Amino acid sequence: MRVLAAAARRAEQGQPLFNLAAGQPSTPAPAPVLAAAHQALDSQILGYTETPGIAPLRRAISGHYRDRYALDVDPDDIVVTTGSSGGFLLAFLAAFDVGSRVGLARPGYPAYRNILHALGCEVVDLPCGPETRYQPTAAMIDGLGLDGLVVASPANPTGTMLDPVELAQLATHCADTGVRLVSDEIYHGITYSGQTSCSWATNRSGFVVNSFSKYFSMTGWRIGWLLVPHDLTDVLDALGGNLAICPPAPAQYAALAAFDGYDECDRHVVRYAENRRLLLNGLRRLGIDRLAPADGAFYVYADISHLTDDSAAFCAQLLDRAGVAAAPGIDFDQVDGHRFLRFSFAGSTATVIGALAALEEFLNER
Ligand SMILES: Cc1ncc(COP(=O)(O)O)c(C=O)c1O
């Protein structure tokens, strides 16, 4: 966030900026969503809605599971949330207590850790490296006495995925050993190799977290959803009603049309794939070649230990001298992140090309 603020200051001053730090699409919501939003503003009262979200949206999300996953999900098991971030808060509050032990891959998305800490849970670090594609395994969590496990596939910051067999193994292991699995599937739809699967295809005792933010290009609309295990449905309803009453009504009516926007979203993924190809090739050409396999999402996580031992300072210099914004690994891994950078290729292809040229000049001048 500090990098993003510094990048914004640069842009305001009219200095060149190649932003590879932002973890969000650079495109608006799909056209059908924009049209539905206009229509909702003109025709709906937009008061509070039912706490778990309007019934048509829950039915539409259920249809998404039928069409894209061949999975039968009852709309009553779906709770619409204020982005997946709101979903994490509800899921963690419902599933865990103060002192609960929850396993997280390191590196990983920092909000998991921060929300769990705020709730008094104990985060159990699962150091994950290239040997397991930066993902936890069933063997890794055995005997740790966990109450919960959060996995993300594709993951942030690495983009790596659990293949369907690995995810199924984790889901089964968690169900068999009383570990509540929280499967973050927010980057589904944005993949380049391999196959994504839903943890509910194997077992429904955990949560699935998803969102309209990434594939559907709707970060600021603050709308996502949870698949909720049956034993926690009532708890979720009580928590949701008290904490937020309901997710934002305008975003709910607009999101109803997101499932008419697959073609537009898939075109974004084609651009991400081209950006990814250019970035991976360009970085390798510059000698930055220890890269996490970017199976999905829009990130490349790069080991830059041959260039620096302080990736935060390196990021600051890179922005200051070359106008390239990237995220320091320390944001995602407080132990080893000082050796890593995360590059996002969610922006335009021109941004990626410009960033590579500026990075090359920066490295040559060091
Ligand atoms: C892995 C992961 N999960 C969840 C989120 C939160 O997204 P949102 O609250 O917009 O759905 C992000 C945002 O970058 C993310 O990278």
Side-chain angles (χ1 to χ4, degrees):
M1 287 302 175
R2 268 199 297 275
V3 173
L4 287 177
R9 277 199 300 279
R10 261 187 92 88
E12 267 167 31
Q13 290 160 4
Q15 294 173 286
L17 175 68
F18 306 101
N19 193 345
L20 303 189
Q24 63 172 336
S26 51
T27 43
V33 169
L34 298 177
H38 283 292
Q39 214 207 336
L41 287 178
D42 290 340
S43 63
Q44 301 275 354
I45 292 172
L46 298 174
Y48 297 137
T49 71
E50 301 92 304
T51 294
I54 55 173
L57 181 56
R58 298 162 80 200
R59 283 199 297 273
I61 294 169
S62 166
H64 177 69
Y65 280 98
R66 194 183 49 243
D67 298 345
R68 290 259 155 150
Y69 296 82
L71 210 58
D72 192 17
V73 177
D74 188 330
D76 285 346
D77 295 339
I78 297 168
V79 168
V80 181
T81 57
T82 311
S84 71
S85 305
F88 284 116
L89 184 59
L90 291 173
F92 292 171
L93 271 168
F96 306 133
D97 276 313
V98 170
S100 290
R101 289 167 58 77
V102 183
L104 295 183
R106 174 172 61 73
Y109 178 58
Y112 308 140
R113 174 179 302 271
N114 295 336
I115 299 173
L116 287 165
H117 275 159
L119 298 180
C121 296
E122 189 185 334
V123 169
V124 179
D125 253 0
L126 304 171
C128 294
E131 327 73 60
T132 62
R133 297 175 91 75
Y134 295 91
Q135 292 282 359
T137 61
M140 217 183 261
I141 61 167
D142 220 15
L144 292 181
L146 296 182
D147 299 293
L149 172 71
V150 183
V151 295
S153 171
N156 178 7
T158 57
T160 63
M161 279 161 36
L162 291 159
D163 72 34
V165 173
E166 290 165 335
L167 181 60
Q169 278 169 351
L170 274 170
T172 305
H173 184 81
C174 285
D176 290 350
T177 54
V179 177
R180 188 78 71 168
L181 179 67
V182 178
S183 176
D184 182 349
E185 303 183 358
I186 178 175
Y187 288 105
H188 278 202
I190 308 178
T191 58
Y192 315 102
S193 63
Q195 230 191 316
T196 48
S197 61
C198 175
S199 72
W200 267 34
T202 306
N203 189 285
R204 300 190 175 198
S205 62
F207 282 93
V208 172
V209 184
N210 211 323
S211 174
F212 290 94
S213 286
K214 309 289 174 160
Y215 173 71
F216 292 105
S217 193
M218 293 174 62
T219 49
W221 297 70
R222 308 314 300 131
I223 185 120
W225 71 87
L226 290 173
L227 306 186
V228 179
H230 280 170
D231 60 320
L232 293 177
T233 309
D234 291 345
V235 180
L236 244 285
D237 207 43
L239 283 168
N242 283 286
L243 289 177
I245 301 184
C246 65
Q252 290 191 62
Y253 285 102
L256 254 180
F259 304 106
D260 298 328
Y262 287 129
D263 288 350
E264 191 176 329
C265 298
D266 287 340
R267 283 197 294 279
H268 297 325
V269 180
V270 170
R271 176 170 46 82
Y272 300 148
E274 173 62 2
N275 290 357
R276 169 184 179 274
R277 191 187 64 79
L278 288 168
L279 188 59
L280 289 173
N281 289 345
L283 290 173
R284 287 192 186 112
R285 195 172 50 77
L286 298 178
I288 302 176
D289 55 5
R290 279 167 296 157
L291 309 171
D295 303 322
F298 28 58
Y299 307 114
V300 172
Y301 198 55
D303 184 338
I304 55 158
S305 51
H306 60 298
L307 297 172
T308 183
D309 195 33
D310 182 350
S311 62
F314 186 90
C315 267
Q317 277 177 12
L318 185 61
L319 181 61
D320 190 43
R321 297 199 203 145
V324 177
I330 202 78
D331 286 359
F332 311 98
D333 177 345
Q334 288 170 349
V335 179
D336 295 316
H338 59 98
R339 299 190 284 117
F340 290 86
L341 275 193
R342 189 199 72 178
F343 297 102
S344 163
F345 51 86
S348 69
T349 303
T351 299
V352 172
I353 293 170
L356 283 167
L359 178 62
E360 180 165 18
E361 211 174 302
F362 172 81
L363 292 176
N364 287 341
E365 282 171 6
R366 264 163 60 92

